[in-house]
Amino acid sequence: MNDCLIGEGKNRLVSDVIIFGTGKHAELACFLFREDSPLRPVCFCFDENYGTPTEKNLLGLPVQSLSEVLEKHTKNEVLIHVAVGNNQVREKYFHYIQSLGYRFASYISSFARCWKDLELGENCFISQGAVIQPMVTLGDNTIVMGASIGHHTRIGSHVLLSNPVIGGSVEIGDFTFIGMNAVIREKLHIGRQNIIGAGSIIMSDSQDDEVYSVPSTKKRSISANQVSLFK
């Protein structure tokens, strides 16, 4: 099992982690912390100002409001992992929870390939299948789902990488999303808050707030029953 980094004060022995979020990414994070880390998820957490989930339990754990969590668990007793896919929403709660003095848990899959010199911010998530070469830096609150990241690359904070291939010596700005099978050429600067869709190929620098996408595959005007895949 991997070590789960907890940012500042990581020498303190804290084994309980609260999962902030109740969506599919939160369920995935809970499962992986439970099965592939020394930390023990104790509950899911939601912000009652935005409604109450219908589920009272997820994966056998209670679902509690943020106010309940803050009342029951002091900042020295637990770690928190903000498990929300939307970059802006994740950033909002990351900074709010940080302002209250709570510390964060990060997850690195034991099935990921990372070098020991990886510089990792707080509240990061690196999934199975990720390949990260030496001399890479990840900012705070960043999610890496199965990405391939080249050497000397710097990833900003509040970023979501969903299975892209990123060359060496690339800089990626805060709040950027890069989708499945997108390719970023080496030595590029990707601006802040870019959206780079699945399958995009980026060959030159981008500016802030840019969006890239490729046409979707067209549906054929025949039935699948008319096609023989294997002969």
Side-chain angles (χ1 to χ4, degrees), residues 137 139 149 153-157 159-161 164 166-167 169-178 184 188-194 196 206:
T137 299
I149 302 175
T153 288
R154 299 180 63 86
I155 310 295
S157 295
V159 169
L160 173 55
L161 305 179
I166 299 171
S169 300
V170 171
E171 293 188 12
I172 295 178
D174 297 346
F175 295 101
T176 286
F177 167 81
I178 305 180
I184 312 298
L188 294 186
H189 173 83
I190 302 300
R192 176 185 172 92
Q193 198 167 290
N194 276 208
I196 299 176
S206 71

Side-chain angles (χ1 to χ4, degrees), residues 124-192:
C124 288
F125 182 94
I126 299 176
S127 79
Q128 176 179 348
V131 178
I132 302 178
Q133 293 184 358
M135 292 169 274
V136 168
T137 299
L138 266 63
D140 293 331
N141 204 32
T142 285
I143 297 173
V144 177
M145 300 295 291
S148 175
I149 302 175
H151 58 87
H152 290 91
T153 288
R154 299 180 63 86
I155 310 295
S157 295
H158 323 299
V159 169
L160 173 55
L161 305 179
S162 180
N163 293 278
V165 176
I166 299 171
S169 300
V170 171
E171 293 188 12
I172 295 178
D174 297 346
F175 295 101
T176 286
F177 167 81
I178 305 180
M180 294 180 65
N181 297 320
V183 177
I184 312 298
R185 202 198 72 183
E186 72 278 1
K187 300 180 181 179
L188 294 186
H189 173 83
I190 302 300
R192 176 185 172 92

Side-chain angles (χ1 to χ4, degrees), residues 1-84:
M1 291 187 180
N2 59 280
D3 293 328
C4 283
L5 312 178
I6 63 174
E8 294 182 4
K10 65 182 179 181
N11 292 325
R12 298 177 64 91
L13 297 177
V14 179
S15 61
D16 291 349
V17 59
I18 292 169
I19 307 298
F20 183 93
T22 57
K24 297 302 183 183
H25 183 66
E27 290 187 12
L28 174 64
C30 178
F31 178 88
L32 292 174
F33 272 116
R34 179 185 284 168
E35 300 294 329
D36 189 38
S37 90
L39 299 181
R40 180 175 71 99
V42 293
C43 70
F44 289 86
C45 176
F46 67 94
D47 183 352
E48 60 269 44
N49 294 318
Y50 290 89
T52 302
T54 56
E55 300 86 353
K56 299 298 182 182
N57 289 272
L58 285 174
L59 302 183
L61 296 178
V63 178
Q64 300 177 350
S65 70
L66 181 57
S67 58
E68 287 180 290
V69 166
L70 298 179
E71 181 179 344
K72 294 179 180 179
H73 304 278
T74 70
K75 60 187 179 182
N76 295 320
E77 294 175 338
V78 296
L79 304 171
I80 296 179
H81 183 77
V82 182
V84 177

